[in-house]
């Protein structure tokens, strides 16, 4: 079992609570007064550009300079500077709790308070009249953080061994805080209330503009509900993946066409989270070809664009997810060797990172299974058990139970693939071979061989989201009169990448020649 499984999926492990007794939640420095006053004004004026600058840059700068080890001033303390505006107070507290989770270790009371704040904020969005335009980055972060804090709470609650009586009493009293049904209901309500599915359908018919404007409303309206509803579909995918319900997760994402650019690609965190969970769900459902295609696309995109995000607060998370997706791609290609689906740039990076391990994983011995275990444990989501414990029984930690179950199911699938390694080797060599001859080569009788071939057919075919049977096989076959006829898929040749690489090399040579001084 990989030792780093227990790390948080979203943030680095925070330091222990600050012991700085000098922190006063009611003291508001002048720079914070200026920040909230200007942010409040820009929100009222719907100045999305300035809001984005303050949210992405100013908030991070002030956090680094003044609140590295302490929370920001409390919501009540800044309220007089923003006309005691209720909605702004909820938005400020959402940022306040996010900063707390990122920099410090939240207490149980603070986890519960954060849940209450999200409930109030989403209730206003769902049932109030919200006349704001907020940056997509902020709206994505709301959904992303909401799911992360739910996951974090489930992991926290599952570590029961060291809980004291006061914590257990609080957990009993606030048993609805971060309840899985409450989380799913809020996300689904945002999808339904925003009518985002209908909007996306109308957009296909040319009756609506949503993707073209990145979800923003340029007619004086609000983008908050629509874009929150849109990102909530990604949130639902992520929650269902954490619960191990991959089929339902993919159904929730279905209204978004991930083969096209969309609002989800306008925010790098949203783009990566969407494809990571989409690819992982397909891997667990044995749709390896689909997983390989999407991992290949996103890894190529990150490779080309990561230098533009180096100053982003999300840069470390981008790099971490990048490494995890390379590990998942390595698993997919070992179980379904469809290397032709992978761009040469990505394949080169993959071989550099996992080439040796992939060779050993093909052997299907104990060392190979240990490597599958290692890569899966490193790259999988941090699964959760959403149900509360029985507080009357002896207190034990159960935070690893969901992970162990998913790992067990995955390794069971890998062991079943062991039978297929020998068959695939022979099918690669022959264009046709009799059942009797292949049975002799594999040292089994014909009845056992037919079982193995049936297993091969079963394991290399799966059902897609539309209920159609699709093939993952790089080599397929059919049997006619006890003779196996092999059908090898022919990859379509792609010349574009080759020429682009040669052009880059030529430009490099020309630049070198330009620097040479001739006598």
């Amino acid at each position: 079992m990989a030792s780093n499984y227990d790390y948080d999926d979203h943030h680095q492990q925070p330091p222990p609570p600050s012991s700085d007794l000098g922190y006063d939640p009611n003291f508001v420095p002048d720079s914070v007064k200026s920040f909230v006053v200007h942010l409040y004004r820009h929100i009222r004026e719907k100045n999305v550009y300035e809001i984005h600058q303050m949210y992405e840059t100013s908030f991070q700068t002030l956090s680094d300079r003044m609140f590295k080890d302490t929370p920001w001033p409390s919501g009540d303390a800044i309220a007089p500077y923003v006309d005691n505006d209720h909605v702004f107070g909820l938005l400020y507290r959402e940022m306040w709790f996010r900063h707390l989770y990122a920099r410090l270790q939240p207490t149980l009371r603070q986890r519960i308070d954060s849940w209450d704040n999200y409930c109030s904020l989403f209730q206003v969005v769902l049932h109030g009249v919200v006349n704001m335009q907020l940056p997509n980055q902020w709206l994505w972060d709301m959904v992303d953080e909401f799911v992360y804090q739910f996951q974090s709470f489930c992991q926290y609650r599952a570590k029961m061994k060291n809980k004291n009586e006061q914590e257990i009493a609080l957990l009993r009293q606030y048993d609805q805080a971060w309840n899985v049904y409450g989380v799913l209901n809020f996300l689904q309500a945002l999808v339904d209330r925003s009518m985002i599915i209908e909007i996306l359908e109308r957009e296909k018919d040319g009756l609506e503009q949503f993707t073209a404007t990145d979800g923003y409303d340029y007619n004086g309206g609000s983008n908050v509900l629509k874009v929150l509803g849109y990102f909530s579909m990604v949130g639902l995918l992520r929650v269902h993946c954490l619960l191990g319900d991959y089929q339902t997760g993919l159904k929730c994402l279905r209204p978004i066409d991930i083969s096209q650019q969309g609002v989800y690609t306008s925010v790098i965190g949203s783009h990566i989270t969407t494809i990571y969970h989409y690819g992982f769900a397909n891997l667990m459902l044995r749709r390896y070809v689909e997983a390989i295609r999407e991992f290949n696309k996103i890894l190529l995109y990150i490779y080309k664009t990561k230098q533009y995000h180096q100053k982003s607060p999300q840069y470390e998370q981008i790099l971490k997810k990048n490494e995890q997706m390379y590990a998942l791609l390595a698993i997919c290609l070992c179980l379904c060797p469809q290397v032709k689906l992978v761009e040469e740039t990505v394949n080169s990076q993959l071989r550099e990172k996992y080439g040796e391990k992939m060779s050993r994983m093909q052997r299907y011995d104990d060392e190979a299974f240990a490597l599958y275990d290692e890569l899966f444990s490193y790259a999988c989501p941090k699964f959760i058990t959403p149900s509360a414990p029985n507080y009357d029984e002896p207190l034990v930690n159960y935070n690893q139970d969901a992970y162990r179950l998913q790992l067990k199911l995955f390794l069971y699938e890998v062991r079943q693939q062991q039978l297929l390694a020998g068959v695939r080797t022979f099918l690669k060599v022959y264009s046709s071979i009799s059942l009797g001859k292949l049975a002799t080569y594999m040292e089994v009788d014909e009845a056992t061989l037919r079982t193995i071939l049936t297993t091969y057919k079963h394991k290399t075919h799966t059902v897609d989201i539309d209920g159609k049977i699709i093939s993952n096989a790089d080599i397929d076959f059919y049997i006619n009169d006890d003779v196996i006829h092999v059908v090898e898929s022919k990859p379509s040749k792609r010349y574009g990448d080759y020429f682009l690489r040669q052009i880059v090399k030529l430009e490099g040579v020309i630049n070198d020649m330009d620097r040479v001084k001739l006598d």
Side-chain angles (χ1 to χ4, degrees), residues 172-278:
R172 282 179 185 267
Q173 182 181 354
Y174 295 98
D175 59 337
Q176 292 304 304
W178 296 109
N179 177 283
V180 63
Y181 296 113
V183 170
L184 290 171
N185 284 342
F186 267 124
L187 292 172
Q188 190 60 53
L190 287 167
V191 174
D192 294 341
R193 187 83 173 179
S194 66
M195 299 184 70
I196 188 62
I197 297 175
E198 291 81 356
I199 288 170
L200 293 175
E201 284 297 320
R202 284 168 56 81
E203 187 175 46
K204 288 178 187 174
D205 300 329
L207 302 173
E208 187 97 26
Q209 275 203 330
F210 180 76
T211 305
T213 62
D214 277 340
Y216 293 109
D217 190 320
Y218 293 111
N219 297 315
S222 171
N223 70 328
V224 173
L225 180 57
K226 284 190 293 186
V227 177
L228 277 178
Y230 181 92
F231 285 137
S232 290
M233 291 188 281
V234 180
L236 285 166
L237 166 67
R238 184 175 165 195
V239 172
H240 285 299
C241 280
L242 294 175
L243 299 173
D245 187 357
Y246 308 109
Q247 194 79 42
T248 303
L250 290 176
K251 281 183 180 174
C252 291
L253 192 70
R254 201 171 178 191
I256 299 176
D257 182 1
I258 64 162
S259 68
Q260 303 291 329
Q261 295 285 308
V263 175
Y264 78 97
T265 61
S266 67
V267 178
I268 183 70
S270 160
H271 192 181
I272 291 173
T273 297
T274 302
I275 302 303
Y276 168 79
H277 288 92
Y278 178 84

Side-chain angles (χ1 to χ4, degrees), residues 457-468:
K457 278 284 188 185
H458 170 62
K459 291 298 180 186
T460 56
H461 289 74
T462 188
V463 180
D464 69 7
I465 194 79
D466 297 316
K468 298 174 186 173

Side-chain angles (χ1 to χ4, degrees), residues 27 63 98 178 224 276 301 367:
F27 173 67
S63 295
R98 182 142 28 98
W178 296 109
V224 173
Y276 168 79
Y301 174 78
E367 184 189 9

Side-chain angles (χ1 to χ4, degrees), residues 149-161:
Q149 289 188 21
F150 163 63
Q151 172 199 329
S152 176
F153 182 85
C154 290
Q155 293 282 354
Y156 166 85
R157 183 177 57 191
K159 296 176 183 176
M160 291 299 297
K161 247 183 178 176

Side-chain angles (χ1 to χ4, degrees), residues 127 177 234 261 289 511 518:
H127 304 296
V234 180
Q261 295 285 308
V289 169
N511 289 337
L518 298 174

Side-chain angles (χ1 to χ4, degrees), residues 8 34 116 163 251 293 334 376-377 390 400 429 488 491:
D8 283 335
S34 175
D116 289 340
K163 296 280 188 289
K251 281 183 180 174
R293 277 201 191 102
C334 287
F376 182 86
S377 299
N390 185 339
Q400 295 275 0
V429 177
E488 188 167 0

